[in-house]
Amino acid sequence: MMRRWGYTHTDGRVYAILLLSEEPLTISDLVEATNLSRSSVSASLTRLSRDYLVNVRKNGKIKLFTPIPAFLEKFLNQPKEILEKEVKPLKSLTEVILRESNSQEHKLKLQEVLSDLKALECVLSKIIKMEEEEAQCFKR
């Protein structure tokens, strides 16, 4: 699941160990539990912290890491991310290529692709709107 959200296999392993742990863990704990290098674990923790999936607190000089379960939030953000990062850029690129194409056969193929992208954009926009309207259902 983490890979689908753009994280590495290492990020997923680190996050899973944190989720399953009964208590906060240190980098050393995570290195031991995952059999990964300290630098790999540290890099994963940086990404996970940046994206609010892991909370970091200090106990003296020791950093303790706890997971922030955010599956629902990540899932609900997917339509918006797909629309903004994939569909809209591909649609824009297809429109440019379509305008510059000299072949009628090529233009027909591009128009078909563009039609599908517009339909996908419409569906994703409706999903996003529905999620925004129903956000109160997901409040904790």
Side-chain angles (χ1 to χ4, degrees):
M1 189 166 30
M2 296 290 286
R3 279 190 148 166
R4 178 156 173 72
W5 294 337
Y7 294 97
T8 66
H9 178 72
T10 299
D11 298 340
R13 284 178 64 185
V14 169
Y15 190 58
I17 296 294
L18 287 169
L19 281 170
L20 298 173
S21 175
E22 293 181 17
E23 55 193 39
L25 300 175
T26 65
I27 289 180
S28 297
D29 296 332
L30 288 163
V31 166
E32 185 178 323
T34 60
N35 291 319
L36 296 167
S37 70
R38 189 173 186 85
S39 63
S40 293
V41 170
S42 180
S44 286
L45 288 168
T46 298
R47 280 188 293 276
L48 295 168
S49 297
R50 177 198 65 213
D51 291 348
Y52 305 104
L53 291 172
V54 171
N55 187 34
V56 184
R57 70 178 168 84
K58 282 192 170 186
N59 185 7
K61 290 187 175 187
I62 298 172
K63 289 182 180 178
L64 296 170
F65 299 89
T66 54
I68 301 169
F71 297 110
L72 181 61
E73 291 85 356
K74 284 289 184 185
F75 178 79
L76 293 176
N77 280 333
Q78 281 186 322
K80 192 176 288 185
E81 288 180 11
I82 291 169
L83 180 62
E84 296 302 323
K85 293 180 180 178
E86 298 175 35
V87 175
K88 284 185 176 182
L90 185 55
K91 181 181 157 210
S92 295
L93 180 62
T94 303
E95 289 170 336
V96 168
I97 295 171
L98 178 63
R99 282 192 300 270
E100 295 175 357
S101 178
N102 294 323
S103 162
Q104 190 59 30
E105 185 179 334
H106 190 230
K107 282 185 178 189
L108 289 173
K109 286 181 184 178
L110 290 172
Q111 286 171 338
E112 203 173 304
V113 169
L114 192 55
S115 176
D116 281 354
L117 289 170
K118 286 178 180 178
L120 183 54
E121 181 179 35
C122 179
V123 169
L124 287 170
S125 295
K126 289 181 187 249
I127 290 170
I128 292 164
K129 184 177 179 184
M130 181 192 70
E131 288 174 348
E132 290 169 351
E133 291 172 354
E134 300 300 326
Q136 66 270 11
C137 293
F138 305 112
K139 290 184 180 173
R140 296 180 185 179

